[in-house]
Amino acid sequence: HLDFIKMSEDNVLKLVILGEGRVGKTSILSKYFKQKFNQGEKSTINPSFYEKNVKYQGKEIQLTFWDTDGQEQFNAISTMYYQGAVGALLVYDVSIFETFNKVKSWVKTLQEAVGKDIIFVIAGNKYDLVGKMDEHMPEIDSYCSQEKCKHFFTSAKTGYGLDNAFSTLIQSVLSKVKPTGAVSGRKGKKLKVEEAKEDKQKKKGCC
């Protein structure tokens, strides 16, 4: 049960996007924040982050979405970047279902790093390549029920499902924010969230 998480004094909340390499993490962020899709998007090596400023209960809050590379050889580096995160988007490739099992490993690693109460949403990306996932839905539903998380099918190419996935994650995180700046586990009514400023992307050099 999530009781309290302290937010930084400058009202910044950190969120991360995780998953195996080539599942489309960077493409998802690019499509959601910049409405751009690059078919030949290269795998991320130097982590970057995107900013989204929202207003909640009269206070401006900055959400920073950190993009880290999911390949195993960078796992130790990535660990540094989800330290302090209060929310996460876990991504797998629906056309390579083995990457869903890898998401389970990422969830364990994430929970070990920041605690089991971390809020996260799972995105089955590249849905435009498959269209149906009936065969795997029992396993997906069972795991999400076990972890008490939401699952969305998405397409970084078409934008399908991205608004729902990000909105759900953002609302879930902000639902824990109290006017005092602390983060609470008590449920409240639906939040009115307004974009405060233009979203930004910043690059950060690797450790």
Side-chain angles (χ1 to χ4, degrees), residues 15-20 23-25 28 65-66 68 82 87-93 99-111 118-125 143-144 147 149-154 165-166 169:
L15 301 95
V16 293
I17 184 166
L18 297 168
E20 293 298 289
V23 297
K25 301 184 299 299
I28 281 177
F65 287 81
W66 288 72
T68 58
Y82 48 62
L89 182 66
L90 281 295
V91 184
Y92 70 96
D93 180 346
T99 57
F100 177 77
N101 292 323
K102 295 293 186 178
V103 159
K104 299 176 184 179
S105 298
W106 279 108
V107 169
K108 288 182 180 179
T109 303
L110 179 66
Q111 290 175 337
I118 181 74
I119 298 166
F120 67 91
V121 166
I122 297 177
N125 195 40
Y143 180 73
C144 291
E147 293 294 333
C149 69
K150 296 290 186 180
H151 174 279
F152 297 90
F153 289 116
T154 63
F166 277 96
L169 177 58

Side-chain angles (χ1 to χ4, degrees), residues 17 24-33 35-37 89 91 121 123-126 152-170:
I17 184 166
K25 301 184 299 299
T26 299
S27 294
I28 281 177
L29 289 173
S30 181
K31 185 69 172 182
Y32 181 72
F33 284 94
Q35 291 75 53
K36 293 181 180 180
F37 174 77
L89 182 66
V91 184
V121 166
N125 195 40
K126 304 188 183 181
F152 297 90
F153 289 116
T154 63
S155 169
K157 183 176 182 179
T158 67
Y160 177 82
L162 294 184
D163 283 343
N164 286 337
F166 277 96
S167 294
T168 298
L169 177 58
I170 292 170

Side-chain angles (χ1 to χ4, degrees), residues 12 17 33 41 45 88 104 116 122 138 145 163 181 188 204 207:
V12 175
I17 184 166
F33 284 94
E41 190 83 60
I45 296 177
K104 299 176 184 179
K116 289 188 176 295
I122 297 177
S145 176
D163 283 343
K204 189 101 174 173
C207 50

Side-chain angles (χ1 to χ4, degrees), residues 62-63 111 128 136 172 196 204:
Q62 183 184 89
L63 306 173
Q111 290 175 337
D128 55 287
H136 299 293
S172 297
K204 189 101 174 173

